[in-house]
Amino acid sequence: MPKILVNSRPLLWLILALPGLWIGWRWAMTPDAYGYGHAIGDSGDWAAWLLMATMAVTPLRLMFRRQRWTGWLMRRRRDLGVASFAYAAGHTLIYVIRKASPDLILAELSTPYIFVGWIALALFLPLAITSNDVSVRRLRRSWKKLHRLVYPAAILTFLHWVWSAFDPTTAWIHAGVLAAIEIVRVYLQRRQRVT
């Protein structure tokens, strides 16, 4: 593949947008067969999958330091994170449009999976806003501290998934994969500090 395509951010964003376009198209074309349940479920799935991909970048980089593809992933990690937030925001927007009532939305805040979902979104918002070069330069060391919010936000995201799923088995499997990613990251970072 030509280098210009590999390094093309617009192309990456087009690829990242394709699942969202597919969700919108299916809902618009077959509202009875696809409908709200599929749209909100699929948007939530993509938010979680992209979050996992984002969080997997560091352990992959630690394991395969000399590989060019891990360097590419490190340069595009923020893009993956922002895409995850975009799907989470779309997931929330679908919910808000469906409820169509501020009173109903506020009443459902007492439901645990709804509450942790809103908190996760609130934690991700400053991360998405500051996922750009200008913020990295201005915040300096504070940028890394701020972006550690991804860890509690990820835990809340997967709690939201487990508690809201009709069959939580899939959610638990994904939560286990996320936990494995983080265990590997911590282990590799500590080992490399020692050596």
Side-chain angles (χ1 to χ4, degrees):
M1 187 179 290
K3 191 173 181 180
I4 193 167
L5 289 179
V6 171
N7 292 322
S8 170
R9 187 164 271 174
L11 178 60
L12 174 63
W13 272 98
L14 174 62
I15 293 167
L16 292 171
L18 288 176
L21 295 171
W22 177 245
I23 290 166
W25 184 84
R26 286 188 71 189
W27 197 6
M29 294 296 105
T30 57
D32 295 330
Y34 189 69
Y36 166 78
H38 287 98
I40 199 162
D42 290 349
S43 58
D45 287 350
W46 276 101
W49 293 334
L50 286 166
L51 173 60
M52 289 172 63
T54 305
M55 297 182 76
V57 171
T58 297
L60 285 170
R61 181 63 168 168
L62 292 169
M63 283 189 285
F64 305 103
R65 279 189 179 276
R66 293 184 177 87
Q67 300 298 317
R68 285 186 182 180
W69 61 273
T70 60
W72 183 89
L73 281 174
M74 286 298 290
R75 291 191 300 275
R76 295 294 174 252
R77 180 172 55 178
R78 281 183 277 155
D79 296 285
L80 295 173
V82 172
S84 172
F85 175 79
Y87 280 98
H91 177 75
T92 307
L93 183 63
I94 292 166
Y95 166 78
V96 168
I97 290 170
R98 172 74 171 191
K99 297 302 174 183
S101 164
D103 291 337
L104 187 56
I105 291 166
L106 288 172
E108 288 191 344
L109 273 177
S110 60
T111 308
Y113 78 89
I114 298 287
F115 180 72
V116 298
W118 280 109
I119 298 298
L121 187 73
L123 291 176
F124 278 124
L125 182 59
L127 306 186
I129 291 170
T130 58
S131 287
N132 55 73
D133 293 337
V134 173
S135 296
V136 172
R137 284 194 299 271
R138 286 187 178 173
L139 293 173
R140 297 183 184 176
R141 290 183 181 178
S142 299
W143 189 89
K144 278 195 173 183
K145 289 180 182 177
L146 173 65
H147 279 252
R148 287 188 186 125
L149 285 174
V150 72
Y151 301 113
I155 291 168
L156 292 173
T157 296
F158 281 86
L159 277 177
H160 171 73
W161 194 1
V162 167
W163 289 345
S164 64
F166 290 112
D167 177 8
T169 305
T170 302
W172 278 117
I173 290 168
H174 283 81
V177 171
L178 181 67
I181 289 168
E182 285 310 295
I183 289 166
V184 169
R185 178 188 65 81
V186 170
Y187 169 75
L188 290 172
Q189 285 178 331
R190 287 186 178 175
R191 191 182 73 172
Q192 291 186 17
R193 283 192 197 114
V194 170
T195 57

